[in-house]
Amino acid sequence: MTYQLDSADSATRVTRGTVRDLSTGALPLGDPTGGADAIRWRESVDGALAYPRVSIDRDVTITTSDGVRLRATVIRPANRFGQTVATPFPAIVNVNPYNRAVIDGLDHALHAPVVGKALRAASGAVDATGTSLEGLTTLTKTLAGGVFDVFGINRNLVRSGYAQVIVDVRGTGASQGKWQILGAREQQDSVEIIDWVAEQDWCDGSVGMVGWSYSAINSLQAADKRPAALKAVFAVEGCEDIVRDIYITGGLPSAFIPTWLSAVNLLKWVPNPANAIRDLVRGDTLRWMNDRLRSPATELTSLLWGFLTARDDRIFDDPYFDERDPKVDQITAPVFAVGAWHDLFGGSATGVYQRLRMAPGRKQMIVGDGYHIDVGSGFGGKFAPPRLDVLERAWFDRWLKDDHNGIEDYGPVTMLQQGGAWTSGASFPRAGVTLKRLYLSDTSSGTAEHATHDGSLRRTPGDDLVSLGVRPDLRGAMSRDMTQVSAGAAMVFGRTFTTDARFQERGALSFTSEAVGEATAISGAMNLRLNVATTAHEGIWAVTVNDVAPDGSSRVLTNGALTVSNRALDEARSLYAEDGSLLQAHHHLTRKRKMPVPSDIPVRIDVDLVPTDAILEPGHRLRVDVYANSFPRYLTVVPDLVKARGRRQRLVLDPAHPSHLTFLSSGSW
């Protein structure tokens, strides 16, 4: 059989790319709860605060160097009569595109007499684990986990002796100008906002940045500019590679992007009622309206055009994205990164942590086993990390107030191990894991008869040449992929969308290992090498790696996807083990580096999978599921669909060119 091999076997490349030290050793576990220090951190938030009230000015204007008027809310400590305290304080800045009117509504709801406390108490008390309402209660627990204090007005933080500044991104909310979606001018705005805040008489010159999602990304962007006043960052579910995390994973656009763009574009047309009359009198409403009319639906039409024609640069890894990715390795301010294994930005926290060039302690990482909108769910509970608002307060107390409260000794790597418990240690990947390789075999495992094909994962390649066909289907609409792309919302529909992939696996080529005899850790990056063929001139592949329980339930640990034309590797940015084995593929994903797909001739592809951390309990198995697509997690631009029309895809298992999973594990396999 003829193969098209696009480059030399990576097993011979020891000097290219990044080499990971895979030294062994026991993981020095810490206390993920934070112990006695965390009790003090929580008491400082929930106990008596320095100031009884806050004063809120929702009508602040910051004029940028190009004349655009940004609108902001400034929250400051107040005495019991509501009078603003004149003392200068450190300031916490949040710059986001979701309209301060929404944040105001959230603030009113959470601090309404009786109702606010009742909401928080109920969200932490209700537990429907193991029932059909499990997903719903996971979402409601998010409120008790503190992320909405990080996202919006944090009254307890202000009352402890901080000023807070929340700014509408230019072109969104009440701010004027055109929305740039994290572009260079918007990044300059963040730096100018920091400088403006530091110069105010109510600020003592020290500034921190905080954010969730978009505002976490622009916090990291601002930090890479190193403004003198910026002393620390608290970033919840940010991102350091927008293209691969969410925009065009493996060359496949995400259904989340048009949904999100539509929501922000809609919100930017909603005037803020807090200052609507004054804006009208001052002429701000007219300027705001003119700016909105000049860009009524920012990037939606270009995104549609790119999807239909593939002629827009944002369908590829273009300088457009290079401008927007935070330059994390240039950041010097301490950073606390929070993420989740199945977040929209799956590799966000781990990627940020690993790229930060600073000592552990000045950088911290927490990763939970959740999605995007449920971040912090369960935080503050028994054996779990402190609430996010507690960690935020401790982080800024340390770096903005020089309070040696022990937060730099927390973690620094705190993870909810999938299938296990919270752990706190020194590194990611965790110490004690070594390089492993399992080969995809045609031999039946006897555990996945429901799948299109039931194969096995073995220590050695099989002896026979086998070709396995697989067809695209729509089962991905009821899967963990669907919950991931919906930012976690689909979890309310039950286990098929979260912890049991057997329905989706009916359309998969499934390969399952023997049961492990002891608790076996998997930690870090992993790569799946496949030899694939298609009768058309494009192939679409989606992959999950799963933990299979003795009862047969199959829980997705990580995932990835690739269009065959995007298989060209950027070897300098790919991750290799010491022996040259490819651990994490970094594909070019550019227009110029797309490769032809020969009809019905096998080619080699490497599907990069989101780094993860998991534990397989005794009796559990590891499974690789290979799909011809996973809609709507991964979409295909129309020109690629045309090239792939009528395709018959197949996975070729050839002992001369074996398909295999490369990963880091503590097991003997």
Side-chain angles (χ1 to χ4, degrees):
M1 181 174 289
T2 302
Y3 280 80
Q4 177 173 313
L5 298 180
D6 302 313
S7 61
D9 191 327
S10 67
T12 65
R13 293 194 302 268
V14 182
T15 59
R16 300 178 189 173
T18 303
V19 178
R20 170 75 63 199
D21 179 7
L22 303 179
S23 57
T24 60
L27 175 67
L29 291 177
D31 183 354
T33 70
D37 283 337
I39 294 174
R40 290 192 295 272
W41 304 335
R42 187 183 68 243
E43 289 174 346
S44 71
V45 174
D46 295 343
L49 298 172
Y51 301 94
R53 299 180 64 182
V54 301
S55 69
I56 303 177
D57 184 350
R58 306 182 195 273
D59 189 23
V60 177
T61 298
I62 303 171
T63 303
T64 63
S65 58
D66 64 349
V68 169
R69 293 161 62 87
L70 305 179
R71 306 304 295 276
T73 298
V74 175
I75 309 98
R76 297 166 59 190
N79 62 25
R80 62 192 180 93
F81 302 108
Q83 298 169 321
T84 304
V85 176
T87 306
F89 298 100
I92 308 302
V93 173
N94 181 313
V95 185
N96 78 69
Y98 299 117
N99 199 323
R100 285 175 303 119
V102 173
I103 293 175
D104 287 347
L106 180 66
D107 176 61
H108 291 315
L110 294 181
H111 294 95
V114 182
V115 176
K117 287 186 177 180
L119 281 173
R120 290 179 185 270
S123 68
V126 177
D127 188 356
T129 302
T131 73
S132 59
L133 296 176
E134 181 175 23
L136 183 60
T137 58
T138 298
L139 285 176
T140 58
K141 285 184 178 180
T142 306
L143 178 59
V147 73
F148 289 103
D149 293 298
V150 173
F151 174 72
I153 295 174
N154 191 338
R155 295 191 179 213
N156 280 353
L157 181 68
V158 173
R159 289 175 57 201
S160 69
Y162 287 90
Q164 187 180 13
V165 183
I166 300 175
V167 186
D168 286 330
V169 166
R170 71 164 53 212
T172 72
S175 287
Q176 297 164 18
K178 177 183 176 181
W179 186 30
Q180 268 208 332
I181 312 183
L182 298 166
R185 178 61 245 192
E186 189 179 309
Q187 294 175 46
Q188 185 175 340
D189 288 348
S190 293
V191 174
E192 292 182 11
I193 290 167
I194 292 169
D195 291 342
W196 179 87
V197 168
E199 293 170 358
Q200 303 307 301
D201 56 10
W202 41 260
C203 178
D204 68 1
S206 294
V207 177
M209 284 199 79
V210 67
W212 178 16
S213 191
Y214 190 104
S215 50
I217 297 173
N218 65 32
S219 295
L220 295 170
Q221 288 177 327
D224 76 36
K225 313 297 185 295
R226 303 181 184 179
L230 183 60
K231 307 300 184 183
V233 171
F234 194 87
V236 179
E237 294 183 328
C239 179
E240 51 93 25
D241 191 337
I242 298 171
V243 166
R244 287 157 187 81
D245 274 353
I246 188 63
Y247 249 86
I248 49 170
T249 304
L252 295 158
S254 167
F256 173 79
I257 293 299
T259 305
W260 170 75
L261 276 175
S262 298
V264 179
N265 272 295
L266 179 63
L267 284 173
K268 78 181 188 183
W269 281 94
V270 178
N272 193 325
N275 42 281
I277 295 177
R278 281 171 289 181
D279 282 355
L280 184 64
V281 172
R282 294 181 303 214
D284 282 328
T285 300
L286 180 60
R287 287 188 286 267
W288 175 85
M289 181 63 70
N290 286 336
D291 287 340
R292 294 300 180 271
L293 290 172
R294 281 197 289 266
S295 181
T298 306
E299 291 210 2
L300 276 174
T301 54
S302 60
L303 185 71
L304 177 61
W305 175 250
F307 183 79
L308 294 175
T309 67
R311 293 180 181 176
D312 189 274
D313 291 335
R314 281 151 288 197
I315 299 300
F316 304 95
D317 190 359
D318 182 80
Y320 172 91
F321 292 106
D322 293 338
E323 176 183 285
R324 286 161 171 78
D325 284 337
K327 310 302 185 288
V328 175
D329 54 359
Q330 298 179 17
I331 295 174
T332 56
V335 174
F336 201 120
V338 180
W341 298 125
H342 301 278
D343 179 26
L344 289 164
F345 309 118
S348 61
T350 57
V352 168
Y353 184 84
Q354 289 175 320
R355 286 188 58 194
L356 285 168
R357 297 181 177 179
M358 61 183 69
R362 286 180 62 84
K363 62 176 181 178
Q364 293 273 348
M365 177 185 93
I366 293 182
V367 186
D369 184 13
Y371 305 94
H372 196 68
I373 59 175
D374 66 331
V375 64
S377 181
F379 282 36
K382 191 175 183 181
F383 307 124
R387 300 190 320 255
L388 289 175
D389 60 315
V390 172
L391 290 167
E392 177 196 16
R393 164 77 185 279
W395 191 246
F396 289 132
D397 279 356
R398 172 64 184 91
W399 302 113
L400 273 66
K401 292 186 174 181
D402 199 28
D403 178 3
H404 292 269
N405 54 16
I407 187 67
E408 70 269 33
D409 298 321
Y410 179 71
V413 174
T414 303
M415 304 180 288
L416 180 49
Q417 196 171 35
Q418 294 190 79
W422 282 103
T423 68
S424 188
S427 64
F428 178 79
R430 66 179 59 239
V433 295
T434 56
L435 189 68
K436 300 292 189 299
R437 179 175 290 179
L438 291 176
Y439 295 89
L440 279 60
S441 168
D442 180 48
T443 304
S444 173
S445 72
T447 65
E449 295 178 356
H450 58 285
T452 296
H453 177 79
D454 175 24
S456 57
L457 291 175
R458 304 174 61 180
R459 296 182 186 179
T460 58
D463 297 325
D464 300 324
L465 177 64
V466 180
S467 183
L468 303 173
V470 62
R471 294 178 178 273
D473 61 31
L474 298 178
R475 291 189 178 92
M478 293 180 64
S479 70
R480 195 162 205 175
D481 279 349
M482 179 63 179
T483 304
Q484 186 172 3
V485 80
S486 66
M491 74 171 70
V492 300
F493 299 121
R495 298 184 71 229
T496 302
F497 291 84
T498 53
T499 58
D500 195 347
R502 281 178 288 188
F503 175 78
Q504 186 186 22
E505 285 176 344
R506 295 177 189 176
L509 303 175
S510 191
F511 303 88
T512 312
S513 73
E514 294 289 335
V516 298
E518 59 183 3
T520 302
I522 296 171
S523 188
M526 59 178 70
N527 182 75
L528 182 66
R529 173 160 294 178
L530 300 175
N531 288 303
V532 299
T534 176
T535 55
H537 292 286
E538 183 60 282
I540 300 157
W541 296 92
V543 172
T544 65
V545 176
N546 300 15
D547 172 5
V548 183
D551 66 1
S553 59
S554 179
R555 182 186 182 108
V556 174
L557 300 177
T558 185
N559 57 20
L562 186 68
T563 49
V564 179
S565 61
N566 283 298
R567 64 191 181 278
L569 281 178
D570 183 345
E571 295 179 355
R573 299 181 67 182
S574 295
L575 180 67
Y576 295 91
E578 288 181 318
D579 70 348
S581 297
L582 181 62
L583 265 176
Q584 189 169 29
H586 189 100
H587 299 96
H588 285 285
L589 302 184
T590 61
R591 188 194 302 270
K592 292 181 179 179
R593 298 303 297 267
K594 284 180 77 75
M595 303 182 70
V597 180
S599 178
D600 222 22
I601 297 176
V603 297
R604 187 185 72 198
I605 64 172
D606 289 288
V607 183
D608 59 300
L609 299 157
V610 177
T612 194
D613 190 77
I615 187 81
L616 301 186
E617 293 295 338
H620 286 234
R621 303 167 186 263
L622 191 66
R623 174 175 291 166
V624 170
D625 286 325
V626 181
Y627 300 92
N629 72 342
S630 182
F631 177 87
R633 173 66 179 90
Y634 309 108
L635 304 179
T636 310
V637 296
V638 172
D640 285 346
L641 277 176
V642 171
K643 292 178 183 178
R645 68 187 184 277
R647 73 190 187 277
R648 294 191 300 277
Q649 290 186 195
R650 55 195 177 95
L651 171 63
V652 180
L653 301 181
D654 184 346
H657 304 282
S659 296
H660 56 266
L661 178 71
T662 306
F663 60 108
L664 302 173
S665 174
S666 65
S668 59
W669 296 102

